[in-house]
Amino acid sequence: MAEVEESSKPLFAGLSDISISEDIPVEGDISVPVGSQSADNDFSTLDEPVKDTILRDLKAVGQKFVHVMYPKKSSALLRDWDLWGPLLLCVTLALMLQGGSVDSEEDGRPQFAEVFVIIWFGSVIITLNTKLLGGTISFFQSLCVLGYCILPLTVAMIVCRIVLVGGSGLVSFVVRLIVVTASFSWSTFASTAFLADSQPPNRKALVVYPVFLFYFVIGWMILTFSPSH
Amino acid sequence: MANTDFHLQFQEFEDEQGFTENNQGATTVTIDDPIKSRKQRKATGTAFEEEDDDDKTELLSGQRKSAPFWTFEYYQTLFDVDSHQVKNRIVGSILPWPGKNFIEVYLRSNPDLYGPFWICATLVFAIAVSGNISSFLVHQGQPKFRYVPDFSKVTMAATAIYSYAWLVPLALWGFLTWRNRKITSLVSYSFLQIVCVYGYSLSIYIPAVILWIIPNEGLRWCSIVVALCLSGSVLVLTFWPAIRDDKPRITTAIISTIVILHVLLAVGCKACFFSTYEMDPSKYHNEPSTATSTSSTN
């Protein structure tokens, strides 16, 4: 038992006599979380199967078709514009409207190139007209809207073709007239609904009239289509 | 303060016929280049224009197109019209009023290209559609005839109408500018204004062309004459102030050229696209002759 001398020694003075051995083993686990390399997977679509890509684009096109058939003031067509739909519709319409070149009686029908050029050239001119009048819509958005709104006219063309199978007399002409008139006014109304907000307010009539003329001409081409016997 | 008052003083100018230098009165319309008008004002000694910058002189001389012609904004100024303005201009081109000059009253240094372009486009398609309908109606009684729409009419009509609406104003403007150098008249028009007048004057033909669907010769000639009178008189009234100071021979020559070209366009369109004759001078010449022979033997 060591004698403790009191109060003459400072506290903790004896601690300096303690020796610490130098190989105290240290144990534990240090793990650094590595950033996941799959962060890019959300944006890069290179690795997905082709079926997914095509289906996604088709779904977008189909969704816009639905928007055209039930036109409300939605900005879906304007926000994600694409030109696949217009191309599809234009090619379908031109294929159905074109005349055979061999038979001399069919000379009056428009060729594929003529219909194609009328649709695209007409859309470009109307878009230029809108922008010159002070519209705030972009070039390709307007092309997209005008192209998608041809859908009712394409449907009318299919219906006319079916009606013409039944006969080409007065009754079928009246039916075709009604169908084409309804679809061309539907097209005009739908495109006006989409383009309405981007026009200056006192020039709306100036912007709508060329669209009306454009769809009228396409409707006329559909109405006067006569099949080859 | 007195200094600025001096610069802001408006000076009255008499509008005298012989005084061609002082043509800045409110009663005459001078559409000049801004440079030319500035020189004229400096010649008369006003200090009014001295400090104005380019924008203001252009505003005062009536021109607002300050953007260079290769920018998009320049062409936007050519489409700077509202719906009601276009409607008024169309109405003004249909109803000629002896006192009203179309350019002075309706254009007022704001010529637009919307009217001429879309009126010509509508006319082209109206001619094509009406021509097809009328040929269908003419041949309707013949059972052998099968209606085939003729799309070559569209390109022909487009070429004819657009060249009329652009080349004739070009020629007229060139001629008037050339005469202006010899005889400084009070009124001179810019190229765009002449194009505008010609474009709007074609608007009367649209209802006329639709009337031509009815295959009645008397009605067609009647509508042509009415349309010609109305739009021809608008054109004549518009260009009369620009050429009345010239020699009478030149004046009558110009007026008659304007009227004759207008008549030629109308009659040419009718003859080309609407013929009530059974022998259509087109590619269906085989079918109508056989059809008429079958109907005559029946």
Side-chain angles (χ1 to χ4, degrees):
Chain A
M1 196 85 60
E3 286 184 345
V4 178
E5 288 180 65
E6 301 177 17
S7 73
S8 57
K9 277 191 191 168
L11 281 172
F12 306 120
L15 278 179
S16 54
D17 299 333
I18 301 175
S19 71
I20 302 176
S21 86
E22 287 164 2
D23 2 274
I24 297 180
V26 175
E27 287 184 26
D29 263 90
I30 303 180
S31 63
V32 177
V34 180
S36 97
Q37 281 153 357
S38 60
D40 292 341
N41 273 355
D42 294 340
F43 307 124
S44 119
T45 52
L46 268 179
D47 298 331
E48 63 178 13
V50 175
K51 184 170 71 105
D52 279 353
T53 314
I54 294 183
L55 278 181
R56 187 179 54 238
D57 279 337
L58 278 179
K59 245 187 253 175
V61 168
Q63 193 189 32
K64 293 205 191 63
F65 279 167
V66 170
H67 275 286
V68 169
M69 293 312 268
Y70 299 104
K72 307 181 285 279
K73 269 213 171 81
S74 77
S75 59
L77 239 75
L78 293 182
R79 237 189 0 244
D80 333 303
W81 60 266
D82 72 90
L83 291 179
W84 283 116
L87 182 67
L88 199 63
L89 289 171
C90 181
V91 166
T92 314
L93 201 57
L95 275 176
M96 287 198 284
L97 271 177
Q98 66 159 352
S101 50
V102 180
D103 201 352
S104 64
E105 288 181 33
E106 313 295 334
D107 273 352
R109 283 160 72 184
Q111 299 299 316
F112 180 90
E114 284 176 7
V115 178
F116 208 81
V117 160
I118 286 181
I119 293 182
W120 285 101
F121 197 57
S123 305
V124 166
I125 298 249
I126 294 179
T127 309
L128 271 181
N129 177 64
T130 312
K131 288 190 74 70
L132 282 170
L133 281 172
T136 52
I137 201 173
S138 95
F139 184 76
F140 286 108
Q141 281 173 336
S142 170
L143 277 186
C144 168
V145 168
L146 287 170
Y148 269 103
C149 290
I150 296 183
L151 177 66
L153 283 165
T154 312
V155 170
M157 178 80 216
I158 298 175
V159 171
C160 282
R161 263 242 138 116
I162 297 175
V163 168
L164 275 171
V165 167
S168 53
L170 184 63
V171 174
S172 90
F173 176 73
V174 168
V175 168
R176 281 185 292 140
L177 180 66
I178 295 175
V179 167
V180 168
T181 312
S183 62
F184 122 77
S185 31
W186 194 341
S187 289
T188 312
F189 173 68
S191 62
T192 317
F194 289 122
L195 292 176
D197 293 329
S198 59
Q199 308 312 320
N202 47 354
R203 296 181 183 179
K204 281 215 165 61
L206 296 185
V207 169
V208 168
Y209 173 70
V211 175
F212 167 85
L213 188 65
F214 176 62
Y215 289 129
F216 179 79
V217 169
I218 298 182
W220 172 254
M221 287 200 291
I222 293 177
L223 186 61
T224 58
F225 171 78
S226 58
S228 57
H229 288 301
Chain B
M1 276 299 133
N3 243 357
T4 45
D5 280 346
F6 170 69
H7 290 311
L8 286 174
Q9 257 174 16
F10 287 100
Q11 307 191 0
E12 301 288 330
F13 293 100
E14 312 279 327
D15 187 28
E16 296 171 19
Q17 284 292 75
F19 234 150
T20 51
E21 299 280 86
N22 279 353
N23 53 358
Q24 304 163 52
T27 50
T28 56
V29 173
T30 317
I31 313 296
D32 294 331
D33 290 339
I35 301 168
K36 186 172 161 202
S37 70
R38 233 180 283 136
K39 280 197 198 136
Q40 282 175 346
R41 286 169 206 245
K42 281 191 182 147
T44 54
T46 54
F48 182 45
E49 296 288 312
E50 296 290 325
E51 288 98 37
D52 280 345
D53 48 287
D54 283 352
D55 290 318
K56 285 188 196 158
T57 42
E58 281 179 349
L59 268 175
L60 289 165
S61 67
Q63 290 212 356
R64 294 181 292 129
K65 300 178 185 29
S66 48
F69 70 90
W70 56 83
T71 58
F72 190 68
E73 282 73 29
Y74 175 73
Y75 296 102
Q76 267 189 321
T77 60
L78 294 174
F79 277 74
D80 193 14
V81 277
D82 295 335
S83 312
H84 65 93
Q85 279 178 324
V86 171
K87 187 173 62 82
N88 287 341
R89 289 176 188 192
I90 293 179
V91 170
S93 73
I94 294 181
L95 306 169
W97 207 251
K100 287 187 187 175
N101 185 345
F102 182 79
I103 292 188
E104 272 182 38
V105 174
Y106 292 103
L107 291 190
R108 239 193 276 263
S109 82
N110 185 18
D112 69 297
L113 283 183
Y114 178 91
F117 182 75
W118 286 109
I119 290 179
C120 290
T122 312
L123 192 57
V124 164
F125 287 117
I127 287 184
V129 168
S130 310
N132 278 320
I133 294 182
S134 88
S135 74
F136 173 73
L137 286 179
V138 162
H139 294 114
Q140 198 189 17
Q142 301 156 9
K144 286 269 161 59
F145 184 80
R146 213 165 49 79
Y147 172 68
V148 176
D150 190 4
F151 283 94
S152 60
K153 293 191 182 197
V154 177
T155 37
M156 278 201 305
T159 317
I161 289 177
Y162 273 101
S163 47
Y164 175 79
W166 285 87
L167 294 181
V168 171
L170 184 66
L172 196 59
W173 172 74
F175 188 78
L176 285 178
T177 315
W178 174 60
R179 295 305 297 177
N180 246 358
R181 291 189 199 287
K182 302 195 169 187
I183 298 152
T184 322
S185 73
L186 290 171
V187 179
S188 66
Y189 299 133
S190 74
F191 172 62
L192 286 167
Q193 286 175 322
I194 302 183
V195 166
C196 210
V197 173
Y198 264 87
Y200 278 104
S201 73
L202 288 177
S203 63
I204 183 80
Y205 285 121
I206 297 175
V209 162
I210 296 179
L211 274 182
W212 289 354
I213 294 179
I214 305 169
N216 184 352
E217 277 299 308
L219 181 66
R220 286 182 178 179
W221 282 110
C222 214
S223 59
I224 283 190
V225 166
V226 168
L228 271 176
C229 287
L230 287 176
S231 61
S233 51
V234 168
L235 282 178
V236 166
L237 280 173
T238 306
F239 287 107
W240 181 250
I243 55 175
R244 67 179 163 209
D245 300 320
D246 214 336
K247 290 185 248 181
R249 240 179 2 153
I250 308 258
T251 310
T252 41
I254 296 183
I255 297 277
S256 46
T257 314
I258 293 177
V259 173
I260 287 177
L261 282 173
H262 217 59
V263 170
L264 271 179
L265 180 78
V267 175
C269 280
K270 183 188 175 301
C272 244
F273 303 114
F274 302 83
S275 61
T276 38
Y277 304 116
E278 295 296 315
M279 291 297 169
D280 216 7
S282 62
K283 42 190 166 295
Y284 321 122
H285 59 269
N286 288 327
E287 283 193 288
S289 50
T290 52
T292 44
S293 61
T294 49
S295 57
S296 60
T297 50
N298 287 342

